[in-house]
Amino acid sequence: MTDIKKCFYTTILSQTISGDGKYLVCGSNFGEILIYSIDRILSCSESSNGDPDKPPTAPHAVFPLPEKCQVYSLSFHKDFLIVGLNGEICGYAWNVKNATVGKRAWTVKLPVSAEYTDINEVNYLWMDKTDEILYAGCGDNVMYAISLEDGRITRNFQGHKDYIHCVSGCGGKLATASEDGSVLMWDVRQSKFTGKIEPFSKDTLNRPEFGKWQGTVSITEDWLVCGGGPRFSLWHLRSLECTTDFAFPERLHVSGFIDDMIYAAGECRNLYQYNFNGDVTAEIPVSAPAVYSVVQQSEPNKFMAIAGAASQIDVCTNFSFKDIVLQAYQK
């Protein structure tokens, strides 16, 4: 397929930022990994000079996966770019000097079950950098803990009745959001989940027209936000009480905490930021009709990238408005 056609049919399913904070890495539905220089992106508003054949909004490099399969999730660990595919998690050598992807260095095969042979996508990767444990939320309803010292699956987190969309962690605690409509809380030292939230069971949050599934969850030491079919909501972790519900108009796929604010995006032409009381503090127009991935960092530069069902990736350099649009392919 030509780049022109890809402009119309591309979906950016996943994103991550390199360990040194200098590169944005995106995974597409065409099995390609797109690499952007954050320094070059940030230079867009400062200068119009440069190579016209490779503008700052174009990928620094493109790495096509040999399998040509969808790139469901991405993460970084030391000198490896970690890629979540269907039934396996792969580590590719990352060339720090040239910011390019090398050969596959290791592969972790997930357990095969007769029931989920064809649909065990690695939907989400969350990295515990302190303990060097990778947590993978998958299509077989299980979250796997993988030791990156030896590539061994150290634990299966079982409790969901349908596939897992999202994983979030903080201080030894984890949360998973699932198609079954629940958000489960986990303590890495305990064998079973420690808490359960079912937002669809609350009349104030339930939206039957959108379903009960939970597409996103994000936690801090004290707070949790989640959403999907039910309304986007804020919960106090210790009491598991809902303290705020937000007026996000559509289904949700991503959420998070940033600068004492909360952001949310999904099947909507805007990314919204809220304070903890539910007031909208920023409304950022986005290029994609549906957002599936948001990554952000505060150091060494303020940078947020918003991507989804489009070949454009929106960049915010102050977390309040969109100022740069990246192109996955050149027309």
Side-chain angles (χ1 to χ4, degrees):
M1 183 177 289
T2 65
D3 283 359
I4 293 176
K5 289 184 178 179
K6 285 182 180 179
C7 288
F8 297 101
Y9 297 107
T10 292
T11 295
I12 303 298
L13 298 170
S14 53
Q15 298 182 97
T16 188
I17 295 175
S18 61
D20 57 10
K22 293 184 177 180
Y23 293 92
L24 171 69
V25 181
C26 307
S28 82
N29 58 322
F30 289 114
E32 293 183 330
I33 294 174
L34 313 171
I35 304 167
Y36 298 85
S37 166
I38 292 178
D39 286 342
R40 280 172 54 81
I41 293 170
L42 297 178
S43 73
C44 286
S45 58
E46 300 173 5
S47 173
S48 60
N49 297 325
D51 182 356
D53 295 326
K54 188 176 285 189
T57 55
H60 159 84
V62 178
F63 176 73
L65 292 176
E67 299 84 356
K68 297 182 180 179
C69 51
Q70 299 189 77
V71 183
Y72 297 111
S73 50
L74 290 168
S75 186
F76 262 99
H77 177 66
K78 296 182 178 178
D79 295 332
F80 296 102
L81 172 65
I82 303 174
V83 183
L85 302 173
N86 194 347
E88 61 183 17
I89 300 169
C90 310
Y92 286 87
W94 172 252
N95 187 320
V96 176
K97 184 177 180 180
N98 300 321
T100 55
V101 180
K103 294 181 179 180
R104 183 186 293 198
W106 51 264
T107 301
V108 176
K109 295 281 188 181
L110 299 180
V112 177
S113 111
E115 187 177 359
Y116 299 106
T117 301
D118 298 325
I119 57 171
N120 193 15
E121 301 97 343
V122 182
N123 293 322
Y124 205 93
L125 295 172
W126 184 80
M127 172 69 68
D128 182 340
K129 296 180 180 178
T130 302
D131 294 332
E132 296 190 334
I133 299 292
L134 180 69
Y135 294 91
C138 299
D140 61 356
N141 315 344
V142 179
M143 176 174 65
Y144 296 93
I146 300 162
S147 169
L148 293 178
E149 289 185 355
D150 54 16
R152 185 170 51 90
I153 296 175
T154 60
R155 182 178 165 191
N156 300 343
F157 294 78
Q158 299 187 22
H160 283 296
K161 298 178 181 178
D162 212 330
Y163 55 90
I164 297 173
H165 283 289
C166 186
V167 179
S168 180
C170 180
K173 296 178 181 179
L174 297 162
T176 49
S178 170
E179 185 72 11
D180 64 16
S182 70
V183 173
L184 298 183
M185 273 65 68
W186 310 84
D187 188 314
V188 297
R189 299 164 298 182
Q190 300 187 31
S191 59
K192 295 183 179 180
F193 60 86
T194 58
K196 183 176 185 179
I197 293 172
E198 293 182 320
F200 69 89
S201 66
K202 294 182 68 70
D203 291 339
T204 55
L205 302 179
N206 189 29
R207 297 189 294 183
E209 68 276 19
F210 291 151
K212 67 178 185 178
W213 57 278
Q214 288 295 301
T216 178
V217 63
S218 185
I219 64 172
T220 66
E221 290 184 358
D222 299 314
W223 299 99
L224 176 150
V225 288
C226 61
R231 288 169 65 90
F232 187 46
S233 52
L234 174 70
W235 300 70
H236 189 255
L237 266 183
R238 289 185 178 85
S239 64
L240 293 186
E241 292 293 328
C242 180
T243 63
T244 309
D245 62 272
F246 305 91
F248 190 89
E250 292 290 341
R251 303 169 181 85
L252 290 111
H253 297 298
V254 294
S255 64
F257 296 88
I258 184 170
D259 283 357
D260 298 322
M261 297 293 172
I262 298 163
Y263 67 82
E267 296 179 24
C268 179
R269 283 286 188 174
N270 293 294
L271 178 144
Y272 289 91
Q273 286 189 31
Y274 305 91
N275 61 25
F276 278 61
N277 294 323
D279 302 319
V280 175
T281 60
E283 189 173 331
I284 303 171
V286 297
S287 300
V291 174
Y292 299 131
S293 172
V294 173
V295 292
Q296 49 87 13
Q297 67 177 17
S298 296
E299 297 292 339
N301 308 102
K302 274 194 171 185
F303 181 87
M304 173 187 280
I306 308 162
S311 61
Q312 293 80 36
I313 303 162
D314 301 311
V315 171
C316 308
T317 59
N318 65 357
F319 302 155
S320 297
F321 59 85
K322 175 175 70 176
D323 42 8
I324 300 167
V325 178
L326 309 179
Q327 303 293 332
Y329 305 99
Q330 300 301 305
K331 295 182 180 179

